[in-house]
């Protein structure tokens, strides 16, 4: 049997955004390919990372309206939320761990810096609002990692700051997804805790956990943290959560 070589590890997400941008960032210009640990492969239109402000989802627009003061967009990607806020003359900066994504965001005029919640850019300071949009509540990763991630977010926040994020309930009629959720439960993980990586040709990111959590699981994960869940707006499987720093 022939050996199938493993992909090279690198900035596959950034390459996807660069290819999409080079092709005009129009629908169908490039696909974001996601590989799950069980071999499931999915692809989505990468043009969604370039959505103009007037075409943002209802939940995204609501999130931008809630944000106040100095704003940090965590996982900024190609900068769609940063650009929407800059157009309103808001004080905002985005961070992303992907060098390629930051390059594209900057070329589009977005104020973006290389970094993550765990490794923020030096001297970035603290913020009145932190955004986790594009389902980036998934950056909580899972039951074990969530407390540390929430503490790291608090370290970037001013007293009374807001954490505004979107997420998705993992419930799905797709049997391949429900089987994976059942497998997660059997090994003591949350059903929507996805072990995944981004692929681009022969390039792949490292494996990482990304969490799809319903509102009840989100409430439970947040409860012991310095954040308090204030409001949740649900729209089908999607939701917008607003938390306040009280610790």
């Amino acid at each position: 049997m022939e050996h199938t070589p493993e992909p090279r590890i690198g900035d596959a997400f950034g390459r996807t955004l660069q290819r999409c941008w080079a092709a005009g960032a129009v629908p169908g210009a490039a696909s974001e390919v996601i590989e799950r640990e069980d071999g499931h492969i999915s692809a989505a239109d990468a043009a969604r990372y370039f959505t103009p402000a007037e075409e943002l989802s209802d939940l995204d627009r609501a999130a931008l309206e809630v944000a106040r003061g100095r704003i940090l967009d965590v996982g900024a990607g190609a900068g769609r939320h940063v650009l929407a806020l800059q157009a309103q003359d808001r004080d905002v900066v985005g961070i992303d761990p992907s060098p390629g994504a930051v390059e594209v965001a900057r070329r589009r005029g977005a104020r973006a810096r290389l970094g993550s919640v765990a490794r923020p850019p030096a001297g970035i300071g603290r913020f009145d609002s932190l955004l986790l949009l594009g389902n980036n509540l998934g950056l909580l990763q899972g039951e074990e990692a969530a407390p540390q991630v929430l503490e790291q977010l608090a370290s970037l926040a001013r007293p009374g700051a807001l954490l505004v994020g979107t997420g998705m309930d993992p419930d799905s009629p797709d049997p391949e997804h429900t089987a994976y959720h059942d497998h997660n439960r059997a090994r003591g993980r949350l059903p929507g805790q996805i072990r995944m990586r981004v692929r681009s040709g022969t390039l792949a990111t490292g494996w990482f956990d990304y969490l799809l959590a319903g509102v009840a699981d989100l409430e439970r994960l947040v409860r012991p943290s310095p954040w308090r869940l204030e409001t949740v707006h649900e729209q089908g499987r999607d939701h917008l959560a607003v938390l306040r720093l009280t610790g």
Side-chain angles (χ1 to χ4, degrees):
M1 182 179 294
E2 293 186 6
H3 172 66
T4 302
E6 278 290 304
R8 293 183 295 112
I9 302 301
D11 186 15
F13 177 65
R15 178 193 277 184
T16 298
L17 294 189
Q18 288 172 326
R19 286 179 171 176
C20 190
W21 177 242
V26 295
S31 293
E32 180 187 28
V33 178
I34 301 294
E35 179 184 4
R36 202 168 63 192
E37 61 177 328
D38 63 345
H40 183 276
I41 303 291
S42 62
D45 195 339
R48 71 188 188 280
Y49 291 105
F50 298 84
T51 303
E54 64 273 14
E55 296 178 16
L56 289 172
S57 71
D58 292 342
L59 291 182
D60 277 359
R61 288 200 299 271
L64 300 188
E65 289 178 5
V66 169
R68 58 179 176 77
R70 188 167 186 248
I71 303 166
L72 178 66
D73 184 20
V74 178
R80 66 192 189 274
H81 301 115
V82 173
L83 289 169
L85 288 165
Q86 286 180 191
Q88 301 173 13
D89 293 323
R90 310 282 289 278
D91 183 3
V92 59
V93 62
I95 59 172
D96 202 287
S98 161
V102 171
E103 178 188 352
V104 170
R106 287 175 173 172
R107 288 172 63 188
R108 300 180 69 216
R111 293 190 290 269
R113 297 181 65 180
L114 186 65
S116 65
V117 175
R119 295 180 177 83
I124 197 168
R126 297 194 175 204
F127 297 84
D128 301 293
S129 300
L130 291 83
L131 303 180
L132 294 175
L133 303 183
N135 287 329
N136 268 346
L137 284 172
L139 297 177
L140 296 180
Q141 302 177 45
E143 192 115 36
E144 292 186 3
Q148 182 178 4
V149 176
L150 290 165
E151 287 286 351
Q152 290 168 335
L153 287 164
S155 74
L156 294 170
R158 291 171 175 165
L162 297 179
L163 175 59
V164 185
T166 53
M168 177 185 287
D169 193 299
D171 283 347
S172 167
D174 188 324
E176 288 194 356
H177 292 321
T178 54
Y180 182 74
H181 299 159
D182 290 341
H183 178 57
N184 272 340
R185 291 186 183 96
R187 53 184 174 160
R189 290 160 63 98
L190 290 172
Q193 186 173 343
I194 302 170
R195 187 72 172 166
M196 56 181 271
R197 61 183 176 181
V198 180
R199 297 288 301 265
S200 178
T202 59
L203 196 66
T205 65
W207 292 100
F208 60 94
D209 284 334
Y210 196 77
L211 181 64
L212 303 182
V215 174
D217 281 334
L218 177 62
E219 288 177 332
R220 186 171 53 79
L221 291 175
V222 168
R223 197 171 297 127
S225 80
W227 299 93
R228 293 295 173 264
L229 186 61
E230 289 199 335
T231 61
V232 177
H233 305 279
E234 297 184 71
Q235 193 174 79
R237 292 175 60 199
D238 300 317
H239 52 263
L240 166 66
V242 180
L243 297 80
R244 187 178 297 276
L245 183 64
T246 60

mmCIF file of all heavy atoms in Angstrom, residues 42-69:
data_model
loop_
_atom_site.group_PDB
_atom_site.id
_atom_site.type_symbol
_atom_site.label_atom_id
_atom_site.label_comp_id
_atom_site.label_asym_id
_atom_site.label_seq_id
_atom_site.Cartn_x
_atom_site.Cartn_y
_atom_site.Cartn_z
ATOM 1 N N SER A 42 -14.857 19.273 4.640
ATOM 2 C CA SER A 42 -15.892 20.212 4.224
ATOM 3 C C SER A 42 -15.231 21.415 3.564
ATOM 4 O O SER A 42 -14.051 21.705 3.796
ATOM 5 C CB SER A 42 -16.742 20.663 5.417
ATOM 6 O OG SER A 42 -15.948 21.345 6.364
ATOM 7 N N ALA A 43 -15.987 22.096 2.727
ATOM 8 C CA ALA A 43 -15.470 23.287 2.046
ATOM 9 C C ALA A 43 -16.533 24.375 2.083
ATOM 10 O O ALA A 43 -17.729 24.102 1.952
ATOM 11 C CB ALA A 43 -15.100 22.970 0.602
ATOM 12 N N ALA A 44 -16.096 25.604 2.307
ATOM 13 C CA ALA A 44 -16.998 26.751 2.337
ATOM 14 C C ALA A 44 -16.385 27.887 1.534
ATOM 15 O O ALA A 44 -15.164 27.972 1.387
ATOM 16 C CB ALA A 44 -17.253 27.191 3.776
ATOM 17 N N ASP A 45 -17.229 28.736 1.006
ATOM 18 C CA ASP A 45 -16.774 29.856 0.190
ATOM 19 C C ASP A 45 -15.962 30.827 1.044
ATOM 20 O O ASP A 45 -16.474 31.397 2.014
ATOM 21 C CB ASP A 45 -17.987 30.562 -0.421
ATOM 22 C CG ASP A 45 -17.608 31.496 -1.551
ATOM 23 O OD1 ASP A 45 -16.433 31.921 -1.620
ATOM 24 O OD2 ASP A 45 -18.492 31.807 -2.378
ATOM 25 N N ALA A 46 -14.701 31.027 0.696
ATOM 26 C CA ALA A 46 -13.836 31.931 1.466
ATOM 27 C C ALA A 46 -14.217 33.397 1.281
ATOM 28 O O ALA A 46 -13.766 34.255 2.053
ATOM 29 C CB ALA A 46 -12.380 31.720 1.069
ATOM 30 N N ALA A 47 -15.071 33.695 0.309
ATOM 31 C CA ALA A 47 -15.473 35.090 0.085
ATOM 32 C C ALA A 47 -16.240 35.649 1.274
ATOM 33 O O ALA A 47 -16.354 36.874 1.414
ATOM 34 C CB ALA A 47 -16.317 35.191 -1.184
ATOM 35 N N ARG A 48 -16.760 34.782 2.143
ATOM 36 C CA ARG A 48 -17.498 35.286 3.306
ATOM 37 C C ARG A 48 -16.602 36.106 4.235
ATOM 38 O O ARG A 48 -17.092 36.955 4.993
ATOM 39 C CB ARG A 48 -18.144 34.132 4.076
ATOM 40 C CG ARG A 48 -17.188 33.238 4.848
ATOM 41 C CD ARG A 48 -17.935 32.035 5.405
ATOM 42 N NE ARG A 48 -17.157 31.222 6.316
ATOM 43 C CZ ARG A 48 -16.255 30.323 5.947
ATOM 44 N NH1 ARG A 48 -16.003 30.132 4.648
ATOM 45 N NH2 ARG A 48 -15.598 29.610 6.844
ATOM 46 N N TYR A 49 -15.289 35.875 4.184
ATOM 47 C CA TYR A 49 -14.366 36.651 5.012
ATOM 48 C C TYR A 49 -14.188 38.083 4.492
ATOM 49 O O TYR A 49 -13.551 38.898 5.162
ATOM 50 C CB TYR A 49 -13.009 35.961 5.085
ATOM 51 C CG TYR A 49 -13.033 34.670 5.877
ATOM 52 C CD1 TYR A 49 -12.986 33.433 5.237
ATOM 53 C CD2 TYR A 49 -13.112 34.683 7.262
ATOM 54 C CE1 TYR A 49 -13.020 32.249 5.969
ATOM 55 C CE2 TYR A 49 -13.151 33.506 7.991
ATOM 56 C CZ TYR A 49 -13.103 32.303 7.335
ATOM 57 O OH TYR A 49 -13.137 31.129 8.054
ATOM 58 N N PHE A 50 -14.737 38.352 3.313
ATOM 59 C CA PHE A 50 -14.615 39.677 2.694
ATOM 60 C C PHE A 50 -15.979 40.371 2.588
ATOM 61 O O PHE A 50 -16.123 41.331 1.845
ATOM 62 C CB PHE A 50 -13.996 39.532 1.301
ATOM 63 C CG PHE A 50 -12.613 38.958 1.299
ATOM 64 C CD1 PHE A 50 -12.412 37.574 1.333
ATOM 65 C CD2 PHE A 50 -11.496 39.786 1.283
ATOM 66 C CE1 PHE A 50 -11.138 37.033 1.339
ATOM 67 C CE2 PHE A 50 -10.212 39.250 1.288
ATOM 68 C CZ PHE A 50 -10.028 37.872 1.325
ATOM 69 N N THR A 51 -16.965 39.900 3.334
ATOM 70 C CA THR A 51 -18.310 40.451 3.258
ATOM 71 C C THR A 51 -18.301 41.951 3.547
ATOM 72 O O THR A 51 -17.794 42.386 4.590
ATOM 73 C CB THR A 51 -19.237 39.755 4.272
ATOM 74 O OG1 THR A 51 -19.226 38.348 4.019
ATOM 75 C CG2 THR A 51 -20.656 40.281 4.164
ATOM 76 N N PRO A 52 -18.856 42.779 2.645
ATOM 77 C CA PRO A 52 -18.916 44.229 2.924
ATOM 78 C C PRO A 52 -19.879 44.530 4.060
ATOM 79 O O PRO A 52 -20.774 43.740 4.372
ATOM 80 C CB PRO A 52 -19.398 44.817 1.592
ATOM 81 C CG PRO A 52 -20.063 43.690 0.874
ATOM 82 C CD PRO A 52 -19.378 42.441 1.314
ATOM 83 N N ALA A 53 -19.703 45.688 4.661
ATOM 84 C CA ALA A 53 -20.466 46.055 5.856
ATOM 85 C C ALA A 53 -21.965 45.966 5.630
ATOM 86 O O ALA A 53 -22.711 45.500 6.501
ATOM 87 C CB ALA A 53 -20.080 47.462 6.298
ATOM 88 N N GLU A 54 -22.433 46.391 4.464
ATOM 89 C CA GLU A 54 -23.870 46.417 4.204
ATOM 90 C C GLU A 54 -24.469 45.023 4.009
ATOM 91 O O GLU A 54 -25.695 44.866 4.006
ATOM 92 C CB GLU A 54 -24.185 47.297 2.987
ATOM 93 C CG GLU A 54 -23.615 46.811 1.673
ATOM 94 C CD GLU A 54 -22.186 47.292 1.413
ATOM 95 O OE1 GLU A 54 -21.531 47.781 2.370
ATOM 96 O OE2 GLU A 54 -21.740 47.177 0.260
ATOM 97 N N GLU A 55 -23.604 44.013 3.870
ATOM 98 C CA GLU A 55 -24.098 42.654 3.668
ATOM 99 C C GLU A 55 -23.816 41.736 4.862
ATOM 100 O O GLU A 55 -24.053 40.529 4.790
ATOM 101 C CB GLU A 55 -23.486 42.049 2.400
ATOM 102 C CG GLU A 55 -23.890 42.781 1.123
ATOM 103 C CD GLU A 55 -23.232 42.201 -0.113
ATOM 104 O OE1 GLU A 55 -22.706 41.068 -0.038
ATOM 105 O OE2 GLU A 55 -23.216 42.883 -1.153
ATOM 106 N N LEU A 56 -23.331 42.292 5.956
ATOM 107 C CA LEU A 56 -23.091 41.486 7.147
ATOM 108 C C LEU A 56 -24.409 40.913 7.667
ATOM 109 O O LEU A 56 -25.482 41.477 7.453
ATOM 110 C CB LEU A 56 -22.429 42.323 8.241
ATOM 111 C CG LEU A 56 -20.968 42.728 8.003
ATOM 112 C CD1 LEU A 56 -20.518 43.703 9.080
ATOM 113 C CD2 LEU A 56 -20.056 41.514 7.963
ATOM 114 N N SER A 57 -24.322 39.792 8.373
ATOM 115 C CA SER A 57 -25.518 39.150 8.902
ATOM 116 C C SER A 57 -26.183 40.028 9.958
ATOM 117 O O SER A 57 -25.568 40.950 10.516
ATOM 118 C CB SER A 57 -25.155 37.800 9.528
ATOM 119 O OG SER A 57 -24.426 37.998 10.735
ATOM 120 N N ASP A 58 -27.449 39.735 10.246
ATOM 121 C CA ASP A 58 -28.168 40.482 11.280
ATOM 122 C C ASP A 58 -27.451 40.404 12.617
ATOM 123 O O ASP A 58 -27.351 41.404 13.338
ATOM 124 C CB ASP A 58 -29.591 39.930 11.427
ATOM 125 C CG ASP A 58 -30.452 40.220 10.209
ATOM 126 O OD1 ASP A 58 -30.091 41.106 9.408
ATOM 127 O OD2 ASP A 58 -31.495 39.544 10.060
ATOM 128 N N LEU A 59 -26.941 39.205 12.955
ATOM 129 C CA LEU A 59 -26.262 39.049 14.236
ATOM 130 C C LEU A 59 -24.963 39.837 14.265
ATOM 131 O O LEU A 59 -24.614 40.442 15.292
ATOM 132 C CB LEU A 59 -26.004 37.571 14.529
ATOM 133 C CG LEU A 59 -27.228 36.706 14.814
ATOM 134 C CD1 LEU A 59 -26.805 35.282 15.137
ATOM 135 C CD2 LEU A 59 -28.065 37.277 15.957
ATOM 136 N N ASP A 60 -24.220 39.838 13.163
ATOM 137 C CA ASP A 60 -22.981 40.618 13.112
ATOM 138 C C ASP A 60 -23.264 42.108 13.250
ATOM 139 O O ASP A 60 -22.563 42.830 13.981
ATOM 140 C CB ASP A 60 -22.238 40.352 11.800
ATOM 141 C CG ASP A 60 -21.388 39.103 11.841
ATOM 142 O OD1 ASP A 60 -21.355 38.448 12.899
ATOM 143 O OD2 ASP A 60 -20.760 38.773 10.820
ATOM 144 N N ARG A 61 -24.276 42.590 12.563
ATOM 145 C CA ARG A 61 -24.611 44.019 12.658
ATOM 146 C C ARG A 61 -25.037 44.377 14.077
ATOM 147 O O ARG A 61 -24.674 45.434 14.594
ATOM 148 C CB ARG A 61 -25.705 44.373 11.644
ATOM 149 C CG ARG A 61 -25.211 44.378 10.201
ATOM 150 C CD ARG A 61 -26.144 45.176 9.322
ATOM 151 N NE ARG A 61 -27.489 44.618 9.295
ATOM 152 C CZ ARG A 61 -27.901 43.693 8.439
ATOM 153 N NH1 ARG A 61 -27.055 43.210 7.536
ATOM 154 N NH2 ARG A 61 -29.145 43.247 8.465
ATOM 155 N N ALA A 62 -25.803 43.485 14.705
ATOM 156 C CA ALA A 62 -26.205 43.730 16.094
ATOM 157 C C ALA A 62 -24.991 43.768 17.010
ATOM 158 O O ALA A 62 -24.915 44.598 17.934
ATOM 159 C CB ALA A 62 -27.182 42.652 16.556
ATOM 160 N N ALA A 63 -24.030 42.896 16.762
ATOM 161 C CA ALA A 63 -22.810 42.868 17.575
ATOM 162 C C ALA A 63 -22.037 44.171 17.448
ATOM 163 O O ALA A 63 -21.534 44.713 18.446
ATOM 164 C CB ALA A 63 -21.936 41.693 17.155
ATOM 165 N N LEU A 64 -21.921 44.684 16.236
ATOM 166 C CA LEU A 64 -21.182 45.935 16.038
ATOM 167 C C LEU A 64 -21.888 47.105 16.703
ATOM 168 O O LEU A 64 -21.237 48.049 17.166
ATOM 169 C CB LEU A 64 -20.997 46.199 14.539
ATOM 170 C CG LEU A 64 -20.223 45.139 13.747
ATOM 171 C CD1 LEU A 64 -19.946 45.631 12.330
ATOM 172 C CD2 LEU A 64 -18.927 44.738 14.420
ATOM 173 N N GLU A 65 -23.211 47.060 16.773
ATOM 174 C CA GLU A 65 -23.959 48.121 17.441
ATOM 175 C C GLU A 65 -23.747 48.080 18.958
ATOM 176 O O GLU A 65 -23.706 49.124 19.619
ATOM 177 C CB GLU A 65 -25.453 47.987 17.125
ATOM 178 C CG GLU A 65 -25.808 48.344 15.692
ATOM 179 C CD GLU A 65 -27.274 48.145 15.402
ATOM 180 O OE1 GLU A 65 -28.033 47.819 16.347
ATOM 181 O OE2 GLU A 65 -27.679 48.297 14.234
ATOM 182 N N VAL A 66 -23.596 46.875 19.497
ATOM 183 C CA VAL A 66 -23.400 46.726 20.943
ATOM 184 C C VAL A 66 -22.006 47.185 21.363
ATOM 185 O O VAL A 66 -21.821 47.755 22.441
ATOM 186 C CB VAL A 66 -23.634 45.254 21.358
ATOM 187 C CG1 VAL A 66 -23.176 45.016 22.800
ATOM 188 C CG2 VAL A 66 -25.102 44.890 21.211
ATOM 189 N N ALA A 67 -21.013 46.934 20.522
ATOM 190 C CA ALA A 67 -19.626 47.258 20.865
ATOM 191 C C ALA A 67 -19.473 48.748 21.148
ATOM 192 O O ALA A 67 -20.080 49.586 20.486
ATOM 193 C CB ALA A 67 -18.700 46.835 19.730
ATOM 194 N N ARG A 68 -18.631 49.063 22.130
ATOM 195 C CA ARG A 68 -18.444 50.462 22.524
ATOM 196 C C ARG A 68 -16.978 50.697 22.883
ATOM 197 O O ARG A 68 -16.219 49.755 23.127
ATOM 198 C CB ARG A 68 -19.317 50.788 23.734
ATOM 199 C CG ARG A 68 -19.042 49.893 24.939
ATOM 200 C CD ARG A 68 -19.917 50.256 26.124
ATOM 201 N NE ARG A 68 -19.728 49.345 27.261
ATOM 202 C CZ ARG A 68 -18.696 49.375 28.083
ATOM 203 N NH1 ARG A 68 -17.735 50.260 27.918
ATOM 204 N NH2 ARG A 68 -18.615 48.519 29.091
ATOM 205 N N GLY A 69 -16.601 51.971 22.947
ATOM 206 C CA GLY A 69 -15.250 52.334 23.376
ATOM 207 C C GLY A 69 -14.172 51.793 22.465
ATOM 208 O O GLY A 69 -14.330 51.717 21.248
#
